[in-house]
Amino acid sequence: MNGYTSELKELIKKVEASRHARVERARKNQHFPALTMEQRKEWLNKYHPDYKSDGRRAVKVGPNKGEVFPEEVVNLLESRSRITPKNIDLTKIDYETDVLVIGAGGAGTSAALIAQENGRKVIVATKLRHGDSNTVMAEGGIQGADQEGDSPYYHFIDAMGGGHFSNQPDLVAALTNDAPVALHWLESLGLMFDKYPDGRMLARHGGGTCRRRMHSAGDMTGAEIMRVVRDEARNRSEDICGMRRETAQKI
Ligand SMILES: Cc1cc2nc3c(=O)[nH]c(=O)nc-3n(C[C@H](O)[C@H](O)[C@H](O)COP(=O)(O)OP(=O)(O)OC[C@H]3O[C@@H](n4cnc5c(N)ncnc54)[C@H](O)[C@@H]3O)c2cc1C
């Protein structure tokens, strides 16, 4: 329990004290009633950092001026740049590239590979070790409408509904239309997707989906995605260069 705040320690005690009763309820198939939409709203507004009104303020300067974010993000946006322009000599070029990718998780590394496949020289700058990312932590799976009876159209509708219709439709359309191609591309790089014995892709339901389109690699789908894209980037290291952290920070 070392390392936990006193508030967290109190919460852990509550969870431990109620564990037996909760397990008993589950055993008797007595489930807790779902919250109503009003109750959900009330709880989100009270506790969720994206909904709470306190701890947020408007940005005073820069392109985001007037937009309201959590205090910590605003402090960062309003802080002085770590770059000192007079220390940069633009007549002396250390690195030259067609594409600079900043952040090498699943998205960044894939973008680097696709740019390279299209004949571009690429530099990837990432702040931790290559692959230290959210991608590597994803367990459940990756969705794509590649099954009979499914279509990117249904995937689009599910994703828009899942986002309470607040997502950007053009981005969701790009994601859902490209998803089957992305699955195919990952498999061509060696990703070991879960399959039926006859070789067809195994697809499960994800939350709120009207078709089975969740593709997995055991319970370590993200780690498996990162394994193949990182290996591939390293195999193409003549065209995709990694920039060391210190160099990226200096810039
Ligand atoms: C525990 C967990 C489980 C999840 N499960 C699923 C799932 O089952 N299915 C699903 O679809 N999604 C899941 N997600 C969400 C999914 O993992 C992410 O949406 C997705 O991996 C994001 O990919 P990305 O490449 O955009 O970001 P990341 O994988 O986070 O990569 C961003 C990279 O940028 C680097 N970086 C950040 N800032 C800088 C900087 N200033 N300079 C240089 N580099 C920087 C980071 O170090 C990192 O390597 C899960 C997420 C988590 C955390």
Side-chain angles (χ1 to χ4, degrees), residues 10-247:
E10 283 310 307
L11 289 176
I12 290 170
K13 277 187 206 156
K14 280 189 187 173
V15 172
E16 284 173 348
S18 64
R19 181 167 293 137
H20 180 69
R22 285 181 288 112
V23 171
E24 278 307 300
R25 281 184 73 115
R27 237 182 236 143
K28 292 179 193 155
N29 231 2
Q30 294 173 339
H31 296 291
F32 289 95
L35 297 178
T36 63
M37 287 313 275
E38 283 71 34
Q39 284 170 325
R40 280 182 211 187
K41 218 180 215 171
E42 189 191 324
W43 280 71
L44 285 170
N45 288 338
K46 210 165 162 188
Y47 297 110
H48 197 292
D50 288 351
Y51 292 78
K52 275 165 70 169
S53 53
D54 56 333
R56 295 163 80 85
R57 67 181 172 87
V59 185
K60 293 200 191 91
V61 289
N64 298 96
K65 189 174 172 181
E67 289 182 49
V68 178
F69 299 114
E71 198 92 36
E72 295 84 351
V73 177
V74 179
N75 289 344
L76 198 66
L77 291 174
E78 290 176 352
S79 62
R80 288 192 184 281
S81 168
R82 295 179 69 184
I83 297 172
T84 317
K86 68 177 171 33
N87 291 347
I88 296 176
D89 177 4
L90 287 177
T91 59
K92 188 178 158 291
I93 295 167
D94 293 318
Y95 298 92
E96 200 168 356
T97 187
D98 300 320
V99 179
L100 170 64
V101 176
I102 301 177
T109 309
S110 301
L113 291 170
I114 300 292
Q116 187 268 351
E117 283 169 17
N118 284 282
R120 301 285 178 254
K121 183 176 177 233
V122 187
I123 290 183
V124 173
T126 195
K127 69 176 178 181
L128 303 169
R129 290 170 302 180
H130 188 183
D132 281 359
S133 57
N134 285 304
T135 302
V136 86
M137 291 188 274
E139 297 167 17
I142 175 170
Q143 299 201 36
D146 67 342
Q147 302 287 297
E148 211 174 312
D150 198 3
S151 132
Y153 167 82
Y154 295 129
H155 191 178
F156 175 85
I157 301 285
D158 285 347
M160 291 299 294
H164 295 238
F165 297 93
S166 63
N167 17 18
Q168 285 185 27
D170 49 343
L171 289 183
V172 178
L175 177 88
T176 52
N177 280 325
D178 288 353
V181 182
L183 290 172
H184 182 73
W185 179 74
L186 287 168
E187 194 177 23
S188 75
L189 297 183
L191 200 146
M192 309 273 279
F193 280 115
D194 294 333
K195 294 197 170 165
Y196 292 109
D198 65 5
R200 282 178 304 126
M201 286 270 227
L202 192 145
R204 296 188 176 87
H205 270 298
T209 66
C210 69
R211 298 285 187 279
R212 291 171 199 267
R213 67 173 76 94
M214 179 74 83
H215 298 76
S216 52
D219 63 355
M220 49 179 79
T221 313
E224 176 65 359
I225 293 174
M226 205 62 238
R227 178 184 73 81
V228 295
V229 292
R230 193 182 63 167
D231 275 4
E232 195 61 27
R234 290 185 176 185
N235 286 340
R236 302 186 199 174
S237 58
E238 278 186 13
D239 301 307
I240 301 178
C241 309
M243 195 187 278
R244 284 168 60 82
R245 187 174 181 219
E246 307 84 71
T247 319

